[in-house]
């Protein structure tokens, strides 16, 4: 199969990549905030004042594996967007190198 007969791979735009990255990062950040609030709230109910920094550290540690389970679809979408943008870059680079070699593609 030559270059022209290759099936085209769906590529993602940088805008889609940015949107998916913002959604995934925002969801993870929100999860950290919720877990930290729960830790502080449970501490207040138990009569213990937990520093915000300590709650934040534990929230990050708890949210790391939890976000892998809760946000699987967002993570998969983000990975597909990254792969699509990479594929677009590869195609553009291959076209540029073909033009530099003098292969017009006509």
């Amino acid at each position: 199969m030559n270059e022209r007969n290759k099936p085209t791979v769906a590529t993602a735009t940088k805008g889609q990549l940015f949107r998916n990255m913002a959604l995934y990062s925002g969801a993870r950040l929100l999860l950290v905030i919720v877990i930290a609030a729960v830790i502080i709230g449970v501490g207040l109910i138990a009569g213990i004042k937990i520093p915000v920094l300590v709650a934040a550290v534990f929230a990050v540690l708890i949210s790391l594996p939890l976000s892998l389970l809760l946000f699987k679809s967002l993570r998969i979408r983000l990975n597909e967007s990254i792969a699509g943008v990479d594929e677009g870059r590869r195609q553009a680079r291959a076209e540029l190198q073909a033009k530099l070699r003098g292969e017009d593609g006509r």
Side-chain angles (χ1 to χ4, degrees):
M1 230 190 252
N2 64 18
E3 286 288 322
R4 287 187 226 167
N5 294 337
K6 280 188 179 178
T8 57
V9 177
T11 58
T13 63
K14 289 181 183 179
Q16 291 169 329
L17 174 61
F18 179 76
R19 186 193 73 228
N20 289 334
M21 190 177 302
L23 280 172
Y24 185 61
S25 299
R28 290 186 69 181
L29 183 61
L30 185 63
L31 181 64
V32 169
I33 291 170
V34 167
I35 292 173
V38 168
I39 291 171
I40 291 172
V42 169
L44 289 175
I45 290 173
I48 302 168
K49 185 170 181 347
I50 298 174
V52 175
L53 184 61
V54 172
V57 168
F58 278 107
V60 167
L61 292 175
I62 293 168
S63 73
L64 286 172
L66 196 57
S67 67
L68 292 175
L69 297 173
L70 293 177
F71 307 129
K72 182 177 182 177
S73 62
L74 287 174
R75 191 181 73 251
I76 289 172
R77 227 178 356 174
L78 176 61
N79 288 341
E80 288 172 350
S81 295
I82 292 170
V85 169
D86 283 347
E87 181 60 31
R89 285 182 184 163
R90 263 189 231 104
Q91 288 176 357
R93 183 170 188 220
E95 290 173 9
L96 176 63
Q97 291 202 350
K99 287 178 183 178
L100 290 174
R101 284 191 303 265
E103 300 169 5
D104 211 9
R106 294 182 196 176

